[in-house]
């Protein structure tokens, strides 16, 4: 079986250019990166035949963070309520949970001329998930 070299996270040299990649960045919580888990369905408006419909997922908000005075430095009461705004009139309420096993994000490393085989690098370790199990609320 072939082997692949896995390198640690490189030190950032410049700020990432977000205009070249249309995909959204990873979700950030006060404790670090998180995976978003939505159980159920969202109320998405029906597409019309003349125009393409898209739904903008707005902001991720931690309403109890400022009240706790914790500044996200540790696990606390602020993790019990998280809001995710969807479109103009929907809000999901959820909480932050620790993953049983952390998930590593890897990407293919930019190869150097003359190197044989593939090499991967660790981008981040995700230890948290933001869980939304309730139906969306209309706001």
């Amino acid at each position: 079986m072939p082997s692949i070299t896995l390198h640690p996270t490189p030190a950032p040299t410049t700020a990432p250019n977000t205009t070249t990649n249309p995909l959204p960045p990873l979700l950030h919580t006060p404790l670090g990166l998180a995976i978003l888990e939505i159980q159920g369905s969202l109320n998405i408006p029906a597409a019309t035949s003349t125009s393409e419909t898209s739904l903008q997922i707005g902001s991720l908000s931690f309403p109890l963070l400022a009240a706790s005075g914790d500044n996200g430095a540790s696990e606390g009461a602020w993790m019990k309520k998280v809001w995710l705004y969807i479109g103009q009139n929907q809000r999901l309420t959820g909480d932050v949970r620790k993953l049983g096993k952390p998930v590593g994000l890897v990407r293919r490393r930019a190869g150097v001329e003359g190197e044989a085989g593939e090499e991967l690098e660790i981008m981040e370790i995700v230890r948290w998930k933001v869980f939304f199990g309730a139906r969306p609320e209309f706001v």
Side-chain angles (χ1 to χ4, degrees), residues 87-100:
Q88 297 290 325
N89 58 359
Q90 294 180 73
R91 179 178 74 190
L92 291 171
T93 301
D95 58 8
V96 178
R97 299 179 181 180
K98 192 167 191 165
L99 290 173

Side-chain angles (χ1 to χ4, degrees), residues 32-45:
L33 296 178
I35 293 174
L36 180 68
E37 181 178 343
I38 299 176
Q39 292 187 355
S41 59
L42 300 175
N43 299 316
I44 300 174

